[in-house]
Amino acid sequence: MSDCRIGHSANEPATQPGGTFELVDHHGCNVSDRSYRGQFMLLFFGFTHCRAICPAALSRLSRVIDRLGAVASRLRPLYVTVDPERDTPEVMKAFIERSYPRFTGLTGSRENIDHVKSVYRVFARRAADPDDPRGYQMPHTAFTYLIGPDGRYVTHFTDAAGEDEIVHQLVSYLGSGCSSP
Amino acid sequence: MSVSELGHSTAPDVSRFPFLDPLQLGHLRHIENLAAQPDGEWSKMGIPDPGQEWLDSYRYQLAQMAYALGLAHYHRLPAAPAVFRETFDHLIRKMLRRDVWGYWKDTSQAGPYVNPDLKELRKGWIDPVVRENIMYSGHLSAMVGMHSMLFDDDAYDQPGALTFVHNPIFWGMKPEKFEYSRSSLNEVIYWQMVENGWLGVACEPNCVFIVCNQFPMLGFRFDDLRKGGSVAEEATRSYRSAWDKKGIFSSEGWFHGWWRVEQDDFVPPKSVGWTAWGGAVMNTWNRDFVRGIYRDQLRGVLKYGSDGLISLYPNSVVSRVREAMASGHPVNEIEDRTYPWPMPDFGYVAMLLSEMGDADLQGIFDHADRFMSPTWSDGGLYYPRNDQSYDADGNLVRMDRLTGNAMLAYARLNVSDGLWAMYNKPWTSDHFADPALQRISAAVDVTRAIFDRDTRLLVLTLQPRGDRPPEVSVDIGPVEPDASWRLFRDGALVVTARRGETIESTGEVRPVARNGGVGLELCIEKATTLVMAFDDV
């Protein structure tokens, strides 16, 4: 039996999000967290039917990436669906290429999506759509996660973070190449 | 040297600075007495439930006593950290004992009460803060956060400062330890809030209570103050938004009892209690909202008796009382003496009224003092447990340990918007640069301790505890080594120090050089006021 389990010290914040995943990108290729080692992953979770949060966030993040200049090459923007039943690779591809070409869309089985949601502590819950009785909404966490080249959590941005703030922080992280600014 | 030889200094008028009243002092003493009990000794804290699962459990008593200390220090005796620090530390240490959190091993298994769709019990776990159980972790977060703000101290943010040890004697295996700090504890809570869409973290599995998620907001706030973050702002904004969408009110106009996560529905509140408790804390970050609704939430709850006394209607008749009030019918005859009073509602409501600065609070105190057996023990004041609901005349006499040890103390020591002030106007480095009572020998009560920055006066009133020797030793700090000051004892000048050197003293008070301050030794036989006047020699 271990002498010390689960709990963490102030310098070892192992409670932070992140971990492994096995998904499918919008080209239909199998990918995992290891596929992006050596780059910073910028992850945003959402669903293509989202009418408010996702369009605003993806647009904002696209502008941020444009402003990064050359260091953007170190960044891999990923858009992970929480609605794999509707967001097939084909749907993701059309959605991404139409409006957010900076991003790679990721989907997968319900089981694998639930897993990646879990390790990133993402909330998403199916709810009725008052504007579409036959459809549904998926209220979800609106965080943007920055994961380092080693696959470890670096930081996250809330939906209240301003564009300038995100640019500033990303330049700090990406410019230094370190997981701390 | 006689006093008159010391000069012509007139004693400053300090009559404007209030004293603790005897009841407030008694509550503080009782908390100190309970906190000073040897580990494992829970005298006067025992409750009917053997599993520490109910609302008067040790964790709630310890937490609310800590908050009461915090309010008293912040509002009543701001220049007396020495009065509170050790007791606060005792409360946190007791909070970390397995007696307090060990229930979680069973509770974490869930059950059909908390999740009716459960097919089999979950595999339980020991670590009491890693997941769910915000009814414990939220209070621990608030306690260590408040401690850091009050005492300018990050001791509980050191690695392993919050360690839970599980080591049953007869297992014969190594102890299991679960180590946290203030930061990592808050991090665990934060990510669970994220994962639940900011509706909060569960207490018992699957059960998210609004009240219990107010306390980690305090923890976030106090942690931000130490580290310069904005987690509290994010958390409260997101929490408010989530509940705006979800709807926070029950049919009674109270807060929902709890949200069942898997079923995504609400369990009705069992009384006004959790609404009152939650509102008292929510006031810190959502004041206009709470102030706008609390009187209506208490409609039909407060029972106005003779002589200005106020108690509560049992929850079983609140709807009838409300109907009678609405139709103009009398309400005094409405009662249910069979109501078992399963919740500490009397204390919850007192806490809310205190935070609101509501005049009805005095009626609550008056009822408690007449019918709930206020008791003095070793200088401490408390209301002893009484499992009986009503006396023969129909007066509410029920008293639980949370209310009797902590909540009425909290209410008496609080001021209007008292917790709000701690949250929104916390002490900063300016406060800690002011001279204060940093140490005091045992057997002395402090009834006044304030540093007035405008006049640069430190005002302390000390009084001996009944049967203890009157020799008193105190440390005042921070005081610059070259500071000039005069010390008045009960209006008479007794010591003058210029640029750190004592130049005149009557001998009644013996100044002693201390690292970072000044020590004073004196003999007191009655309440004695010491006034240190700085920079005026």
Side-chain angles (χ1 to χ4, degrees):
Chain A
M1 185 178 294
S2 167
D3 198 36
C4 178
R5 304 190 341 185
I6 303 178
H8 317 288
S9 71
N11 297 322
E12 297 176 285
T15 55
Q16 291 170 339
T20 62
F21 58 77
E22 303 275 349
L23 297 170
V24 179
D25 72 13
H26 69 247
H27 300 294
C29 299
N30 292 328
V31 296
S32 74
D33 55 296
R34 294 179 301 282
S35 304
Y36 306 108
R37 287 287 192 275
Q39 290 180 290
F40 284 85
M41 291 192 290
L42 190 73
L43 284 116
F44 187 80
F45 291 79
F47 65 113
T48 63
H49 285 68
C50 181
R51 288 192 288 270
I53 291 174
C54 287
L58 293 171
S59 297
R60 179 181 56 168
L61 291 173
S62 294
R63 291 193 300 273
V64 165
I65 295 163
D66 287 343
R67 291 174 57 185
L68 290 177
V71 294
S73 63
R74 304 199 61 209
L75 194 67
R76 191 62 183 264
L78 301 171
Y79 178 55
V80 186
T81 186
V82 295
D83 184 18
E85 287 78 15
R86 292 188 294 193
D87 287 339
T88 62
E90 295 75 21
V91 171
M92 296 288 279
K93 181 177 170 61
F95 179 78
I96 290 289
E97 292 186 346
R98 183 172 62 244
S99 305
Y100 312 105
R102 290 282 198 173
F103 281 81
T104 297
L106 300 183
T107 184
S109 66
R110 168 48 68 188
E111 181 182 0
N112 286 350
I113 290 295
D114 284 345
H115 172 76
V116 70
K117 279 172 49 191
S118 172
V119 298
Y120 279 93
R121 319 301 292 270
V122 168
F123 169 80
R125 181 187 279 266
R126 187 167 168 157
D129 185 346
D131 298 327
D132 181 5
R134 290 179 297 177
Y136 59 87
Q137 293 181 329
M138 294 287 287
H140 60 88
T141 299
F143 282 5
T144 304
Y145 300 84
L146 183 67
I147 306 300
D150 56 359
R152 292 172 186 262
Y153 166 91
V154 176
T155 191
H156 70 277
F157 306 101
T158 72
D159 56 342
E163 191 176 310
D164 291 347
E165 178 191 344
I166 300 175
V167 169
H168 175 73
Q169 286 209 42
L170 286 179
V171 167
S172 297
Y173 287 114
L174 272 62
S176 69
C178 300
S179 296
S180 57
Chain B
M1 183 180 288
S2 69
V3 173
S4 62
E5 293 174 274
L6 280 172
H8 314 291
S9 291
T10 304
D13 178 8
V14 295
S15 60
R16 64 188 180 282
F17 301 114
F19 296 87
L20 283 183
D21 68 35
L23 301 181
Q24 291 167 331
L25 186 62
H27 284 303
L28 285 180
R29 181 75 179 277
H30 181 64
I31 292 172
E32 179 185 328
N33 292 344
L34 294 182
Q37 293 185 120
D39 284 349
E41 174 61 53
W42 298 101
S43 176
K44 298 187 177 71
M45 297 179 73
I47 61 171
D49 172 55
Q52 291 299 311
E53 294 181 283
W54 198 236
L55 297 159
D56 46 1
S57 297
Y58 297 154
R59 62 184 176 281
Y60 300 121
Q61 295 184 51
L62 294 169
Q64 289 290 158
M65 286 194 283
Y67 308 147
L69 289 183
L71 290 165
H73 185 17
Y74 185 94
H75 293 289
R76 308 285 182 181
L77 301 175
V83 171
F84 301 97
R85 185 172 191 141
E86 184 179 13
T87 301
F88 212 118
D89 283 326
H90 284 327
L91 295 173
I92 292 174
R93 191 188 71 253
K94 288 176 183 293
M95 193 78 170
L96 297 175
R97 285 182 55 82
R98 182 154 63 97
D99 328 28
V100 175
W101 52 262
Y103 67 91
W104 183 247
K105 188 180 170 191
D106 282 338
T107 306
S108 60
Q109 297 176 90
Y113 182 83
V114 295
N115 186 349
D117 297 329
L118 204 67
K119 302 297 185 235
E120 59 180 316
L121 292 181
R122 308 186 313 190
K123 181 176 172 52
W125 63 88
I126 296 166
D127 184 338
V129 303
V130 69
R131 191 163 186 81
E132 302 167 338
N133 201 18
I134 197 71
M135 58 197 173
Y136 172 82
S137 60
H139 285 289
L140 184 60
S141 167
M143 290 170 77
V144 297
M146 186 178 286
H147 181 281
S148 71
M149 187 276 282
L150 290 172
F151 303 113
D152 191 24
D153 186 348
D154 290 318
Y156 293 109
D157 203 28
Q158 301 308 306
L162 307 176
T163 294
F164 308 99
V165 180
H166 185 254
N167 187 24
I169 293 173
F170 297 110
W171 274 19
M173 296 180 281
K174 287 183 179 177
E176 290 178 277
K177 295 181 182 177
F178 306 94
E179 298 183 351
Y180 292 84
S181 63
R182 190 187 70 224
S183 293
S184 60
L185 172 65
N186 284 338
E187 198 165 2
V188 167
I189 295 170
Y190 172 89
W191 283 108
Q192 289 180 85
M193 287 200 172
V194 170
E195 199 166 12
N196 266 345
W198 289 106
L199 288 166
V201 181
C203 289
E204 289 81 6
N206 198 44
C207 303
V208 175
F209 289 75
I210 290 162
V211 55
C212 292
N213 280 276
Q214 303 311 307
F215 295 95
M217 302 303 185
L218 305 183
F220 290 156
R221 170 64 174 156
F222 294 132
D223 195 49
D224 285 345
L225 293 169
R226 304 299 297 180
K227 298 190 297 195
S230 58
V231 174
E233 190 281 330
E234 178 195 353
T236 54
R237 173 177 48 81
S238 302
Y239 183 88
R240 185 203 313 259
S241 174
W243 278 104
D244 281 348
K245 293 171 186 164
K246 198 79 176 169
I248 202 169
F249 292 113
S250 70
S251 60
E252 298 90 348
W254 299 334
F255 299 150
H256 291 299
W258 64 89
W259 173 50
R260 294 195 299 191
V261 179
E262 283 198 24
Q263 292 72 28
D264 194 16
D265 62 10
F266 298 110
V267 173
K270 298 188 179 302
S271 73
V272 76
W274 296 328
T275 296
W277 194 18
V281 185
M282 186 186 287
N283 187 60
T284 56
W285 61 269
N286 208 6
R287 184 166 62 163
D288 291 345
F289 173 76
V290 172
R291 287 190 169 275
I293 59 176
Y294 88 95
R295 281 305 312 191
D296 191 56
Q297 290 178 318
L298 292 176
R299 185 169 43 88
V301 170
L302 298 176
K303 182 176 184 178
Y304 297 87
S306 60
D307 301 334
L309 273 53
I310 300 175
S311 65
L312 306 184
Y313 284 105
N315 190 59
S316 55
V317 305
V318 166
S319 62
R320 283 170 52 203
V321 174
R322 286 182 165 187
E323 289 168 9
M325 291 169 66
S327 59
H329 292 119
V331 295
N332 290 342
E333 300 304 314
I334 300 176
E335 61 178 1
D336 176 8
R337 295 193 191 185
T338 67
Y339 187 71
W341 289 96
M343 295 172 51
D345 286 345
F346 196 84
Y348 290 152
V349 170
M351 179 177 169
L352 175 64
L353 292 174
S354 74
E355 184 68 11
M356 297 296 100
D358 194 295
D360 281 347
L361 179 63
Q362 189 55 51
I364 292 281
F365 287 145
D366 291 343
H367 180 92
D369 288 337
R370 185 175 303 179
F371 295 113
M372 294 173 167
S373 307
T375 299
W376 291 84
S377 174
D378 196 17
L381 170 64
Y382 72 110
Y383 298 82
R385 171 178 158 185
N386 184 355
D387 295 348
Q388 180 183 332
S389 294
Y390 292 96
D391 65 14
D393 297 322
N395 298 301
L396 178 63
V397 296
R398 169 93 175 177
M399 180 53 62
D400 61 86
R401 292 299 198 191
L402 177 66
T403 300
N405 287 330
M407 291 303 224
L408 292 175
Y410 180 110
R412 269 215 174 90
L413 292 162
N414 198 6
V415 302
S416 180
D417 279 328
L419 195 59
W420 178 92
M422 293 177 75
Y423 186 98
N424 292 281
K425 299 178 179 178
W427 283 338
T428 62
S429 56
D430 286 349
H431 170 84
F432 298 107
D434 292 337
L437 183 63
Q438 302 293 346
R439 187 190 64 81
I440 187 165
S441 52
V444 184
D445 283 324
V446 179
T447 59
R448 194 162 57 162
I450 187 166
F451 179 76
D452 184 64
R453 203 170 288 161
D454 292 337
T455 54
R456 298 199 52 73
L457 295 177
L458 176 66
V459 182
L460 303 173
T461 299
L462 316 177
Q463 65 184 43
R465 291 181 176 173
D467 55 349
R468 305 291 176 87
E471 284 291 334
V472 178
S473 169
V474 302
D475 288 352
I476 309 297
V479 177
E480 292 295 326
D482 59 350
S484 297
W485 47 269
R486 291 167 298 146
L487 177 67
F488 298 87
R489 174 176 178 157
D490 291 331
L493 181 63
V494 292
V495 180
T496 301
R498 184 171 295 148
R499 289 185 289 279
E501 297 293 328
T502 302
I503 58 171
E504 294 170 303
S505 172
T506 64
E508 286 184 57
V509 179
R510 298 174 294 282
V512 182
R514 299 269 193 241
N515 187 23
V518 176
L520 301 174
E521 295 174 352
L522 65 158
C523 180
I524 62 170
E525 295 178 348
K526 62 180 180 57
T528 300
T529 292
L530 301 176
V531 177
M532 288 184 82
F534 289 87
D535 297 334
D536 189 25
V537 176

